[in-house]
Amino acid sequence: MMPRGGMRIGAGRPGRDVKVEDCRRLDVRRLQKDGLLAKAWSGEWRWRDALTDDINSSMHIHTCSTHARLAYACNGVTIHESIRLHWVHGAFGGGRAYFRCPGCSRCAAILLLRHSRFRCRRCHDLRYQSQSEDGFGRSWLAQHKLERKLDANWRRPKGMHATTWDRLFARIVELEMERDDMLCTALKRHGW
């Protein structure tokens, strides 16, 4: 028996698009910063829940200066993947590592896990959350980013210079004033 009201393709609310922030990420800059690319290393890479700080997934990784070998499980299937590294040498010595995306061979600092594979943002056709926000949403995102740098009630954290706090506080006030202006403009447009 068909549910009351019938069934229609495309009826109801549109589904939410997956964003970059929704995916597990593998960051080559973090591997390099932790010294895991300088010599051969094997270990476990873990992702933690942002709210509870509990480990919610992990994978085995083997790194060296030329590639990273990954072993992880998706939907009960164990996947082994090898990702090449590309090094860019600095003008004053040293170098910076990038992943070669297995999908398109572009250099990428971050690979994202989607559809059981690590690929770059372009291969997965993903957008950042901020790209989907309107002016109000981008303003709120910017303010929350600034507020995370401050203590409760916008107090200056220990060790922060007073001039830095002044700059952050002024930018928060500026964002609030911009939102007020946007709200006034929207209300005028609708005849309020």
Side-chain angles (χ1 to χ4, degrees), residues 89-148:
H89 299 287
F92 299 106
R96 178 176 289 170
Y98 290 96
F99 289 124
R100 282 283 187 183
C101 175
C104 65
S105 295
R106 287 186 182 139
C107 289
I110 296 174
L111 295 180
L112 303 160
L113 179 62
R114 185 166 185 228
H115 303 304
S116 303
R117 295 290 178 193
F118 280 96
R119 300 289 184 264
C120 70
R121 181 176 68 89
R122 289 186 185 98
C123 284
H124 285 313
D125 194 27
L126 294 172
R127 308 284 181 273
Y128 291 102
Q129 180 67 38
S130 62
Q131 292 174 305
S132 301
E133 296 286 345
D134 60 358
F136 282 105
R138 283 191 298 274
S139 176
W140 278 114
L141 286 173
Q143 182 169 338
H144 291 311
K145 186 175 179 180
L146 295 173
E147 287 174 342
R148 283 193 297 269

Side-chain angles (χ1 to χ4, degrees), residues 12 15 18 33 41-42 75 83 99 117 120 132 135 165 174 187:
V18 176
K33 181 180 177 185
W41 177 83
S42 287
N75 302 323
I83 300 170
F99 289 124
R117 295 290 178 193
C120 70
S132 301
W165 181 85
E174 185 180 310
L187 290 174

